[in-house]
Amino acid sequence: MASIAQASLAALLLLPMATTMHSDCIFKKEQAMCLEKIQRVNDLMGLNDSSPGCPGMWDNITCWKPAHVGEMVLVSCPELFRIFNPDQDMRVVSRNCTEDGWSEPFPHYFDACGFEEYESETGDQDYYYLSVKALYTVGYSTSLVTLTTAMVILCRFRKLHCTRNFIHMNLFVSFMLRAISVFIKDWILYAEQDSNHCFVSTVECKAVMVFFHYCVVSNYFWLFIEGLYLFTLLVETFFPERRYFYWYIIIGWGTPTVCVSVWAMLRLYFDDTGCWDMNDNTALWWVIKGPVVGSIMVNFVLFIGIIVILVQKLQSPDMGGNESSIYLRLARSTLLLIPLFGIHYTIFAFSPENVSKRERLVFELGLGSFQGFVVAVLYCFLNGEVQAEIKRKWRSWKVNRYFTMDFKHRHPSLASSGVNGGTQLSILSKSSSQIRMSGLPADNLAT
């Protein structure tokens, strides 16, 4: 059960917008507060284990203060039940202190607080969170492998080195870092099969959370830069791409650095609790959430602007056949850019944190984990330039291999002399060219 709870908590904390603490951590926190409260009351009243009456206790659900015999203690339902059952009519629970100790709670937690509904709902949520965790693990693993392959291809072929592909490569790196940070965070925070993660407060785990937030914010900003670059291509006919590219680097990697650094300093001085994996302070959380939401909304505006420009160009009477086909392909590509621009993030950008949590998990984790895979397929494997370059290299390799094998077959003595067939072919071709060039003047004189 502990591993299930940790898996569900891991799924919740992967949401950049999630702030609700998991039930295990809430109970652990309330238990610690209860024991401290009981200790303070005992010290104040001079009570000990041999004192008459009923000692204070934590019954794994709520806290009961020390009481005298004949005294009735009333407590409200735990706040956790209000979170999971907001429509439940919460009542108070009482216990009587008798000579034999505490009586059973009345009314029972099942009746007063909806504990039965909470247990069933928690079981369903644990199963749901486990499913989401399995989904995003497969998604991020697939994306990481695909993006790594795409990066090797774009780095290997020099003819593919241009500003457009450099921006794509930075986007690939941001997706790869996001996937790696997710796996590192799961490994550091939730490797233990207990609830110790609720009270982890080490420099290492805080550094992991800072790195995780940096990777997520950088990924959002490089999605924004992709939209900005495409919009700039459509609006401006000529612009210095290299100079713009430097600004893209500063925005894509520099802005997240500033935002996450400011957030980390504020957390250190004003909310240095736990491992910084909970974001109960809304004001501090907006230091990160604000730029992310801003990039999402600006990207949405750019996306609408791109659609408008494409429609205007397609409706222009001056459009030629070839140019029209180019814009038609670009229009189809723009439709495929909907997940790449993060348009689906606008659905939950301004919704409250505790609204539609399950749907938010599917969008943020389910679709988000496969987003890197979609980017690699669209920007690399389905790219015409990439396919043409791979085919050209493949044909060149086959031709060289054929001539090498043919040369070794025809001239085995040369092939075994330590000089490869490719070198011999180049020497022969250069020699034949020089012979033809030296023979040209004689032929011309003869004529």
Side-chain angles (χ1 to χ4, degrees):
M1 184 62 186
S3 60
I4 296 177
Q6 290 174 7
S8 62
L9 178 59
L12 273 175
L13 293 181
L14 280 172
L15 276 170
M17 312 301 179
T19 58
T20 303
M21 188 181 294
H22 190 262
S23 58
D24 283 359
C25 293
I26 293 178
F27 277 131
K28 286 283 185 179
K29 183 178 180 180
E30 291 189 354
Q31 180 184 8
M33 294 173 59
C34 174
L35 297 178
E36 292 180 2
K37 180 180 178 181
I38 292 173
Q39 185 62 42
R40 287 198 304 268
V41 173
N42 290 338
D43 295 340
L44 182 63
M45 299 177 63
L47 301 176
N48 52 45
D49 295 338
S50 60
S51 300
C54 301
M57 70 171 184
W58 167 261
D59 65 354
N60 295 325
I61 295 180
T62 190
C63 188
W64 299 90
K65 66 179 183 179
H68 300 290
V69 176
E71 182 180 357
M72 183 175 65
V73 179
L74 301 175
V75 297
S76 301
C77 290
E79 187 66 25
L80 180 66
F81 296 142
R82 302 179 188 274
I83 296 175
F84 284 93
N85 301 312
D87 299 330
Q88 177 73 23
D89 184 17
M90 300 293 175
R91 293 182 288 173
V92 295
V93 181
S94 65
R95 283 181 186 266
N96 292 320
C97 180
T98 67
E99 294 181 355
D100 297 329
W102 288 106
S103 65
E104 292 296 321
F106 179 84
H108 200 276
Y109 291 116
F110 291 99
D111 302 321
C113 307
F115 185 72
E116 186 174 7
E117 290 81 359
Y118 161 75
E119 282 190 324
S120 61
E121 185 173 345
T122 303
D124 294 339
Q125 286 185 346
D126 288 338
Y127 177 77
Y128 178 77
Y129 291 150
L130 275 177
S131 302
V132 173
K133 186 177 187 297
L135 177 63
Y136 78 68
T137 301
V138 173
Y140 280 122
S141 301
T142 304
S143 297
L144 191 59
V145 173
T146 310
L147 289 165
T148 303
T149 306
M151 280 292 295
V152 171
I153 293 174
L154 292 181
C155 293
R156 174 65 179 81
F157 301 119
R158 290 185 175 272
K159 288 190 176 181
L160 300 176
H161 292 180
C162 61
T163 301
R164 181 183 70 256
N165 286 336
F166 286 153
I167 293 176
H168 296 342
M169 291 164 68
N170 279 273
L171 180 63
F172 292 174
V173 172
S174 71
F175 273 111
M176 293 167 65
L177 288 176
R178 181 170 182 170
I180 292 172
S181 68
V182 168
F183 294 138
I184 293 177
K185 186 169 70 64
D186 280 356
W187 176 53
I188 295 296
L189 265 66
Y190 312 113
E192 298 292 335
Q193 296 297 317
D194 52 34
S195 298
N196 288 337
H197 62 269
C198 300
F199 301 100
V200 172
S201 183
T202 62
V203 176
E204 291 78 8
C205 78
K206 293 175 182 178
V208 168
M209 291 307 303
V210 171
F211 175 68
F212 168 73
H213 287 308
Y214 173 76
C215 295
V216 172
V217 177
S218 298
N219 184 234
Y220 279 108
F221 269 85
W222 277 105
L223 289 172
F224 159 70
I225 289 174
E226 285 286 353
L228 181 63
Y229 178 74
L230 180 57
F231 182 80
T232 306
L233 283 179
L234 292 176
V235 172
E236 297 188 22
T237 305
F238 301 101
F239 70 98
E241 290 191 359
R242 184 170 294 276
R243 189 178 67 186
Y244 274 51
F245 179 70
Y246 295 140
W247 283 106
Y248 294 152
I249 293 292
I250 294 174
I251 295 173
W253 298 114
T255 305
T257 302
V258 174
C259 296
V260 176
S261 298
V262 171
W263 173 80
M265 294 297 294
L266 293 176
R267 283 297 300 256
L268 183 62
Y269 284 101
F270 298 104
D271 192 19
D272 189 15
T273 58
C275 192
W276 296 1
D277 51 347
M278 303 297 179
N279 300 287
D280 297 324
N281 193 320
T282 306
L284 295 184
W285 181 231
W286 269 97
V287 175
I288 289 180
K289 181 178 177 179
V292 169
V293 173
S295 68
I296 292 173
M297 299 312 298
V298 173
N299 232 20
F300 180 76
V301 174
L302 293 176
F303 176 77
I304 299 299
I306 291 172
I307 296 297
V308 172
I309 293 174
L310 291 177
V311 171
Q312 291 176 350
K313 291 183 178 292
L314 289 173
Q315 292 177 347
S316 175
D318 299 331
M319 289 287 293
N322 294 332
E323 193 174 0
S324 177
S325 63
I326 293 175
Y327 282 111
L328 283 174
R329 290 198 302 269
L330 190 56
R332 289 193 296 267
S333 300
T334 304
L335 295 177
L336 295 176
L337 289 176
I338 292 178
L340 303 180
F341 277 34
I343 303 303
H344 58 286
Y345 292 127
T346 59
I347 299 176
F348 298 103
F350 295 100
S351 63
E353 305 293 351
N354 57 348
V355 174
S356 303
K357 187 180 299 181
R358 293 198 171 196
E359 291 77 9
R360 187 192 294 266
L361 280 172
V362 173
F363 273 82
E364 299 283 347
L365 294 181
L367 296 181
S369 62
F370 286 96
Q371 204 171 0
F373 168 76
V374 176
V375 167
V377 170
L378 292 178
Y379 284 167
C380 182
F381 300 116
L382 295 183
N383 186 290
E385 295 179 355
V386 175
Q387 293 178 349
E389 185 65 15
I390 292 177
K391 291 178 180 178
R392 188 183 68 82
K393 288 290 185 180
W394 174 253
R395 287 194 298 265
S396 176
W397 179 81
K398 289 180 66 177
V399 170
N400 289 336
R401 183 172 180 273
Y402 170 78
F403 280 113
T404 301
M405 296 300 295
D406 183 70
F407 184 84
K408 290 181 178 180
H409 178 72
R410 293 175 179 270
H411 305 280
S413 60
L414 290 177
S416 60
S417 64
V419 182
N420 58 50
T423 305
Q424 294 287 345
L425 285 174
S426 61
I427 294 174
L428 289 175
S429 61
K430 289 180 181 179
S431 301
S432 60
S433 299
Q434 292 175 356
I435 293 173
R436 287 196 300 270
M437 292 298 295
S438 61
L440 284 176
D443 294 339
N444 291 336
L445 289 174
T447 55

